Amino acid sequence: MKVVVLSGGVGGARFTRGLLAHLGPGHEVTVVANTGDDLWLHGVRVCPDLDTLMYTLGGAVHEGQGWGRADESTRVSTDLAAYGLGWDWFTLGDLDLATCLARTELLRGGLPLSAATDRLAQRWDLGVRLLPMTDAEVETHARLADGTLLHFEEWWVRHHATLPAVGFEQVGLSGSVAAPGVVEALVSADVVVLPPSNPVVSVGTILAVPGVREAITSTPAPVVGVSPIIGGAPVRGMADACLTAIGVPTTASAVARHYGLRRTGGLLDAWVVDDADAASVPGLREHGLVCGATDTLMRDVASTARIAAFALDLVGPVPSAG
Ligand code: GDP
Ligand code: CA
């Protein structure tokens, strides 16, 4: 079975780890990662979501934090801060920096981001094909009420999404194309999954890349999503601020309606909500979605595998491997 996941960082990475545990060997999983959070810092290319995916699936993530490396240190960034350079509010650990240095060397050597990512992934046993959404430098910016554009990381990490945003812009998007393999994976998939990633600045950014939305609306594969919103709030992070910025209420049902029904030009065939939002299931079914409620809190790999199984079951049984 060929599965494609459109992923942000922590939510998407944890979901994908559970999906792999559920599927077992013999299946082909492609992860298309958001790269809108990427930035140049201290002369190196930082790709937060790609690296969260790489560390999580590679077994090297800092579990408590959900991103970055376990056993990390920050000697380099602490010393850089002593020069008053860079962004002192953005933590780049020493091991994380090694990843970014390696990536930058590959990019400087002429490789596109997709090839550099593939090269970095060879070190880890990810169990997936990891693709950036695009090879172009597309960076998400928050638009503030006065028209100012702030790099997403500055808005999110430095200001904790407290500066009211009125929308998001992907700087560098025009003229960009999906990375090699992205559209091909979507149109030849058996199932496409929108994991519980941020619907606006993770999944929404991937969907903005020319060709991606069209590939999802036209693929013969069913598309199933898992709500990142439980009981009217994000599980972690500030997705509510992102949803508010684009005028979508922070509810599981509103996010499903925002993604839209594939039959009517949207993205979803099926949608998984948490048990806490079970009351929204009849309305969503009436809307035309295949919909079910389950416990969607990703406590560990086993509980996440059950969520993945539930999502795949909504769109049909998983054929056995081979
Ligand atoms: P980021 O790039 O690191 O912000 O990660 P993602 O965009 O992939 O995922 C962030 C989203 O994951 C947030 O909106 C959270 O609400 C959601 N999330 C995190 N943990 C869980 C969980 O255990 N269950 C569900 N349903 N959603 C979660
Ligand atoms: Ca992210």
Side-chain angles (χ1 to χ4, degrees), residues 7-14 34 37 49 52 67 156 195-199 201-203 226-230 233-239 274 296-299 307:
S7 177
V10 179
R14 286 194 170 157
N34 168 44
D37 302 0
D49 290 357
T52 296
W67 52 272
W156 183 263
S197 280
N198 189 311
V201 294
S202 292
V203 178
V226 179
S227 176
I229 303 300
I230 299 183
V235 178
R236 48 184 294 153
M238 296 129 335
D274 191 81
T296 67
L297 203 56
M298 301 186 285
R299 293 180 183 84
I307 301 167

Side-chain angles (χ1 to χ4, degrees), residues 35-58:
T35 53
D37 302 0
D38 296 8
L39 58 133
W40 285 101
L41 182 63
H42 303 303
V44 299
R45 190 67 176 159
V46 186
C47 300
D49 290 357
L50 275 174
D51 291 345
T52 296
L53 280 156
M54 201 164 72
Y55 301 152
T56 304
L57 302 177

Side-chain angles (χ1 to χ4, degrees), residues 14 17 295-304 306-307:
R14 286 194 170 157
R17 187 168 59 174
D295 178 356
T296 67
L297 203 56
M298 301 186 285
R299 293 180 183 84
D300 50 26
V301 177
S303 60
T304 309
R306 283 193 291 275
I307 301 167

